[in-house]
Every structure is written in C-alpha cells, then in structure tokens.
Amino acid sequence: DTGVSQDPRHKITKRGQNVTFRCDPISEHNRLYWYRQTLGQGPEFLTYFQNEAQLEKSRLLSDRFSAERPKGSFSTLEIQRTEQGDSAMYLCASSLAGSVGEQFFGPGTRLTVL
Amino acid sequence: RKEVEQDPGPFNVPEGATVAFNCTYSNSASQSFFWYRQDCRKEPKLLMSVYSSGNEDGRFTAQLNRASQYISLLIRDSKLSDSATYLCVVLGGGADGLTFGKGTHLIIQP
C-alpha cells in the first residue's frame, strides 16, 4: 500500500507527558498537512509543509505543539505537556503542490490523554 | 460565525431516493470548493471538486453559488453504500489548509 501512513494508530498518555506522532506521506507528494478532528467535528487544519519548509501554522497550534519535516519526506508532530483537551484524532494528509484540494489522508493517530 | 456551516443531520433517506445537502461559507475570498466523504472511523476522502459551472460525476452533482456563498451536493438513486458523513470543504482566502464543515451525516435505509 503506497498511501499515507501514520504511527502509532492509538496513543494513551497521562496528562503532562510528551507524545510524538509520525506521518509518512505518499512519496511523490511535496505537501504534507496535519489536522485534528474531534467527535462530531470536521478536521481542523493545524499546519502544513512544502518539502521541508513549514509554510503555515494555524492559531490552533499552541506553543506546546511542534511539527517537523526535516528531509522533506516523513513528518513528526510533537505535543508537549499534554492536556485532556488534546484528546483527538490527529490526521496527516499529503498532496502535490499543484493539487492542494486533493489531499490524501492517513488513517490518523487517536490520542487519549488521561 | 463558523467559516463553513452545514446541517449535521442525520438525514435518513430510503434507498433509491434523491437527497441534497448544502453548505455556506463565510470567506468571500475562498477560491476552491470540494466535497469529501468520511465513513465511520475512517479518514476523509475526496468525493468531488465543485466548480462555478457545476459538475456531475455519475449520481453525484455539485454546484457552487459564489454570490450567495453556497455549495450544494445532490445524490440521485441513493445506495446503501452512500451512507457516510459528507464534508463541505473550502480552500483559499489566505490559507492553504482546507477548511472543513462539521459534516452532514447521511443514512440510507433499505
């Protein structure tokens, strides 16, 4: 399967701990996006990269969140000092720069903060 | 006011019927519009793009009214497999991330 993959699929952590998620996009896609989705809501945009450059960050992305894409391939999203309100599905998507409306999503990482 | 607003439903529709749902968007600078489909506990997937001239893909027809900032999706001859959440999506207006509505939950009943 050459789609978008995410790891882990589920993460349970205690409040105050740090967590890191990984996303591997479709190999030829130069854009990579992170979204967060909670129950009954649509995905909310967090940030995106074009190659290794982080070009946009939503105001939803507090200073406890950091994302990287060091070599322009996979990306990591780290949440420091997790809070119960961080519990959500974290979705990664990728696209070609010329087709930003056609984003391919991974299966997501479900985070539960106890 | 939410940037993209949709009626969350659920819409309960008998198999074979025609169903339509709409959404409105607030940012008049938005440039591109899409419908995504999300099955229960799955990731969203692009269903179709929405063009000013309207577009059709099989049983699905999408329309855009820029003056009213309104997008619609029509599903004809609905199938059981059409049961899903349909997400109205807007791109542009100063941001390159997609802006999603909450989604409309559609249930096709046999």
Side-chain angles (χ1 to χ4, degrees):
Chain A
D1 186 348
T2 56
V4 178
S5 61
Q6 293 187 245
D7 184 69
R9 295 291 302 276
H10 299 90
K11 178 71 177 177
I12 300 174
T13 191
K14 292 182 179 178
R15 190 175 52 186
Q17 298 295 304
N18 299 344
V19 294
T20 300
F21 310 141
R22 177 179 169 125
C23 170
D24 286 87
I26 293 172
S27 58
E28 59 267 31
H29 286 179
N30 49 5
R31 285 206 176 183
L32 185 149
Y33 309 80
W34 286 99
Y35 293 84
R36 178 173 67 190
Q37 186 173 26
T38 53
L39 194 63
Q41 304 293 318
E44 294 176 298
F45 169 72
L46 294 177
T47 189
Y48 89 92
F49 294 82
Q50 179 154 314
N51 301 313
E52 65 275 10
Q54 188 172 17
L55 295 187
E56 188 176 343
K57 291 193 282 190
S58 161
R59 56 185 165 76
L60 293 175
L61 208 68
S62 79
D63 56 7
R64 296 185 297 106
F65 288 68
S66 61
E68 294 183 342
R69 194 183 183 199
K71 296 181 181 178
S73 56
F74 74 91
S75 175
T76 58
L77 178 69
E78 181 183 17
I79 309 174
Q80 296 182 326
R81 304 180 305 280
T82 51
E83 301 172 357
Q84 288 185 323
D86 296 332
S87 295
M89 177 72 84
Y90 289 84
L91 293 162
C92 175
S94 69
S95 78
L96 295 169
S99 302
V100 296
E102 186 175 11
Q103 296 185 13
F104 293 81
F105 284 80
T109 294
R110 181 168 295 284
L111 173 66
T112 302
V113 182
L114 302 175
Chain B
R1 181 184 171 190
K2 285 283 286 183
E3 291 189 54
V4 179
E5 295 201 53
Q6 297 181 249
D7 181 344
F11 284 49
N12 289 281
V13 173
E15 192 176 7
T18 295
V19 59
F21 14 90
N22 313 311
C23 88
T24 57
Y25 61 95
S26 61
N27 188 341
S28 59
S30 299
Q31 299 162 345
S32 306
F33 309 89
F34 309 90
W35 284 100
Y36 273 67
R37 169 187 169 137
Q38 187 169 26
D39 293 305
C40 188
R41 301 185 188 280
K42 297 285 190 180
E43 69 273 19
K45 293 184 180 178
L46 178 65
L47 177 67
M48 59 196 305
S49 302
V50 187
Y51 305 121
S52 297
S53 55
N55 52 305
E56 188 173 313
D57 182 1
R59 299 182 292 108
F60 297 81
T61 301
Q63 297 212 313
L64 166 65
N65 184 321
R66 284 189 185 270
S68 302
Q69 295 182 201
Y70 167 102
I71 304 159
S72 66
L73 178 68
L74 181 81
I75 306 175
R76 289 181 299 279
D77 186 26
S78 52
K79 312 290 185 192
L80 294 176
S81 57
D82 294 334
S83 297
T85 296
Y86 290 84
L87 297 158
C88 179
V89 184
V90 171
L91 174 69
D96 271 353
L98 298 176
T99 301
F100 287 80
K102 286 186 176 183
T104 296
H105 188 199
L106 175 64
I107 301 169
I108 306 298
Q109 297 175 326

